[in-house]
Amino acid sequence: MSMQIILKQRDPSVKGKILVLFIHGLGAPRTWVESGRDWSQLIKDDPELEGIDVGIVTYDTSHLISGLFGIEGEFEILGHRLSVSKDSPLSIQLLAQQLKTILNGYMYRKYEKIVVAGHSMGGLIGKRFILNEYLHRNDQLNRIGGFISYATPYNGSKFAQFHHIIKRFQKHTQIEELRSNCEFLDDMNRCFADAHQKLNSLFPSIYCFGVKDDVVEQGSAVPNMGHSSTYLQAQVLPGDHGSILDVPHGHQTTNYDLLKGLLLDVLDTFDPPTFGFRSVHSNQDSERLDESVSPTVHTETVKGQVVQQLEGHRQVLESVFINRFRDEDQIRTRLIGSMNEVFQKLEAMDDKKMKQFLSLYHYTNHQPPSGNSGLRELWELLALVHLVYPDWNFTDPNEVIQLPNLQLDSERWVRILFSQDKETMPELVIGFIAKLYNSSLRPFLLSSGGEELFPYRLLLENINSESLTSNNPENLCEHCNSSRQADFSKILLQFGQSTHSRIFDGLEPNKLSGTVSISCSSCLRQVRQESNYTEICKKLRKVI
């Protein structure tokens, strides 16, 4: 059997944007779809992963070769289920080339992004495919959205060492390539050392090992780049070489959550229809939305719910967010420390304060916020804020005027808004000002006198990425526009005539004028390009 991909579409009538490839390992073609741990079904049933299709990669493989005896199939040998084939299967390099050929076909060209997930030898096939694209400077590399491997023997497997003893009786190409210090692994690791910086700038990679795995140990579960600090990137998971993929808690299992974090990051790069083509609720509905709180916090212990959800995101943040920063000048160590201190601050809030904080943070023009949307992004943002303003504090709206939600120091305040529906910048800002205008704060806005309409910086999260493209009039971020603040009257004039949206209902454009200071979270996260801690802090203060 040559390599093939069994495509499992979430909805055959809808074109998926992302394809996640599950590649099995040596002699285990059903690794990802075994009874009780069908990862393709997990993704299909996950309401947060719409737009993602699954491809199960299969190919010829076996644990042993029978040769002249002509035996093939699966057998129980010394308590282990082993597969036996007549002939030696294709090498990992040829399998990686076959994968490229399939993905170049018409059926798979429609996918804008591909996320590769490999178990054991499957991770080597996926990594070799990616490195081939890097070496040949192929366009396919730009389609890779992420990579994750579970128990992959980048530096060799104990099982392969055993085969080295008996190889005079049978030559198994794939197992020989899993042996420590073999030519194939040495070449791949050298190539990865050269490509690592470039690949890391294009997409995140996660490497996992099982705490009880005696086939692929921790030191082998991460590509060897010649220095021991690389091993710190490995994520420890429960289980052995096979059970590392077990999902006893379904969507809440850590191994699945790591992959889900990758997929959500890729989904964040795609956007809904452009500004002005959505229906919205009435002003009366908007007023009710101001009083609503996410269903996530409709519990007796809001803090307990949030803390539990944040803990679930911890490994994803450390592997996806922290590892995007350069490992120089103790940058990653400082970020992890900042992340932990933010967690302690949030944990110290009582239930009432947590409800207020989340209701001010979650924002939508169209419907009440739902789920735990934005909590992971909030933790990222606050970790960056905390680096330069460690004394930040949540401003209780019952004590201070209801505009900011973060007090950075005695003079600086910020309003962070997580756009539930990924609005464009104009849509989000106009909708926000409209809500304030139709509240008790109308006199405050009317008294701006044509100067600052809104006195505090707006830090916008999860906005439509089209708003960020160069020379796009929808980009209102002052840091993307050479420190030029947005003029609200011009925003209304330009976008109020080109949309059928009802977010303008109740506004009196001629009475509202003045500037709005706006920053996008993308500018904040761009600090990961800086090479030292001092420059990171300098840029953070400028953006915030």
Side-chain angles (χ1 to χ4, degrees), residues 374-394:
L375 285 184
R376 182 166 58 88
E377 292 84 352
L378 177 64
W379 201 359
E380 290 180 8
L381 289 182
L382 291 180
L384 293 173
V385 170
H386 189 83
L387 285 177
V388 288
Y389 295 106
D391 296 326
W392 66 269
N393 182 46
F394 167 58

Side-chain angles (χ1 to χ4, degrees), residues 70-132:
I71 303 172
E72 61 181 347
E74 290 192 355
F75 303 91
E76 193 80 23
I77 302 175
L78 299 177
H80 296 279
R81 196 72 175 170
L82 299 179
S83 58
V84 181
S85 63
K86 294 180 182 179
D87 303 306
S88 180
L90 293 178
S91 68
I92 296 173
Q93 175 67 278
L94 287 176
L95 289 172
Q97 292 174 6
Q98 281 194 349
L99 181 60
K100 170 182 172 56
T101 300
I102 296 174
L103 293 176
N104 282 343
Y106 173 76
M107 183 181 297
Y108 299 101
R109 287 206 305 265
K110 68 178 183 179
Y111 293 103
E112 299 178 50
K113 288 292 182 181
I114 297 172
V115 173
V116 179
H119 172 254
S120 194
M121 190 179 78
L124 294 178
I125 296 172
K127 181 64 79 176
R128 185 70 259 182
F129 159 70
I130 292 172
L131 291 175
N132 287 345

Side-chain angles (χ1 to χ4, degrees), residues 21-272:
L21 291 176
F22 288 115
I23 311 177
H24 65 80
L26 183 77
R30 294 190 56 80
T31 292
W32 294 101
V33 290
E34 288 184 7
S35 177
R37 70 173 195 196
D38 189 336
W39 285 59
S40 65
Q41 193 64 41
L42 281 173
I43 289 179
K44 183 177 180 181
D45 294 340
D46 196 322
E48 295 184 78
L49 297 183
E50 292 186 8
I52 295 179
D53 291 342
V54 171
I56 306 297
V57 180
T58 62
Y59 55 91
D60 282 327
T61 182
S62 66
H63 294 104
L64 298 171
I65 299 172
S66 62
L68 297 176
F69 298 102
I71 303 172
E72 61 181 347
E74 290 192 355
F75 303 91
E76 193 80 23
I77 302 175
L78 299 177
H80 296 279
R81 196 72 175 170
L82 299 179
S83 58
V84 181
S85 63
K86 294 180 182 179
D87 303 306
S88 180
L90 293 178
S91 68
I92 296 173
Q93 175 67 278
L94 287 176
L95 289 172
Q97 292 174 6
Q98 281 194 349
L99 181 60
K100 170 182 172 56
T101 300
I102 296 174
L103 293 176
N104 282 343
Y106 173 76
M107 183 181 297
Y108 299 101
R109 287 206 305 265
K110 68 178 183 179
Y111 293 103
E112 299 178 50
K113 288 292 182 181
I114 297 172
V115 173
V116 179
H119 172 254
S120 194
M121 190 179 78
L124 294 178
I125 296 172
K127 181 64 79 176
R128 185 70 259 182
F129 159 70
I130 292 172
L131 291 175
N132 287 345
E133 297 303 295
Y134 167 79
L135 289 173
H136 296 97
R137 301 296 189 267
N138 289 325
D139 293 338
Q140 197 88 268
L141 190 60
N142 294 323
R143 295 174 64 200
I144 304 300
F147 176 83
I148 183 169
S149 63
Y150 299 86
T152 291
Y154 296 100
N155 305 307
S157 163
K158 287 185 176 180
F159 179 82
Q161 295 300 110
F162 168 75
H163 176 267
H164 189 60
I165 299 174
I166 64 172
K167 74 174 185 177
R168 68 177 62 184
F169 304 107
Q170 58 167 256
K171 182 165 178 59
H172 194 305
T173 305
Q174 292 174 359
I175 297 181
E176 185 62 21
E177 290 178 328
L178 301 180
R179 184 172 51 83
S180 297
N181 300 317
C182 71
E183 183 179 351
F184 169 76
L185 289 180
D186 285 350
D187 176 71
M188 196 172 83
N189 283 326
R190 282 195 298 269
C191 179
F192 179 75
D194 293 337
H196 174 67
Q197 188 170 357
K198 171 67 175 177
L199 298 182
N200 197 45
S201 69
L202 294 175
F203 57 85
S205 297
I206 302 176
Y207 307 99
C208 308
F209 72 96
V211 68
K212 296 182 179 180
D213 193 338
D214 57 1
V215 177
V216 178
E217 298 176 337
Q218 177 183 0
S220 187
V222 179
N224 183 2
M225 296 204 303
H227 52 83
S228 59
S229 63
T230 299
Y231 298 124
L232 297 177
Q233 298 178 21
Q235 303 298 313
V236 58
L237 293 173
D240 55 25
H241 193 67
S243 61
I244 189 175
L245 295 185
D246 286 351
V247 282
H249 307 296
H251 294 132
Q252 305 302 317
T253 311
T254 302
N255 53 10
Y256 174 80
D257 192 59
L258 287 171
L259 172 62
K260 180 176 178 178
L262 277 181
L263 296 175
L264 288 175
D265 276 354
V266 179
L267 280 172
D268 282 346
T269 65
F270 296 99
D271 300 310

Side-chain angles (χ1 to χ4, degrees), residues 419-490:
S419 172
Q420 197 83 6
D421 283 348
K422 296 199 75 163
E423 293 100 336
T424 59
M425 283 194 184
E427 189 174 12
L428 183 61
V429 173
I430 292 171
F432 175 65
I433 297 295
K435 281 188 178 181
L436 296 181
Y437 188 77
N438 287 285
S439 71
S440 59
L441 295 173
R442 179 181 298 191
F444 175 81
L445 294 177
L446 293 176
S447 65
S448 65
E451 297 178 357
E452 287 186 337
L453 177 66
F454 190 76
Y456 309 120
R457 183 180 300 279
L458 287 176
L459 181 55
L460 307 184
E461 171 68 282
N462 200 41
I463 57 174
N464 186 307
S465 62
E466 290 186 8
S467 294
L468 298 175
T469 56
S470 58
N471 301 319
N472 188 334
E474 293 180 353
N475 189 341
L476 307 179
C477 173
E478 66 177 89
H479 302 285
C480 295
N481 288 285
S482 304
S483 301
R484 187 175 67 253
Q485 291 188 346
D487 187 308
F488 188 72
S489 60
K490 291 182 179 179

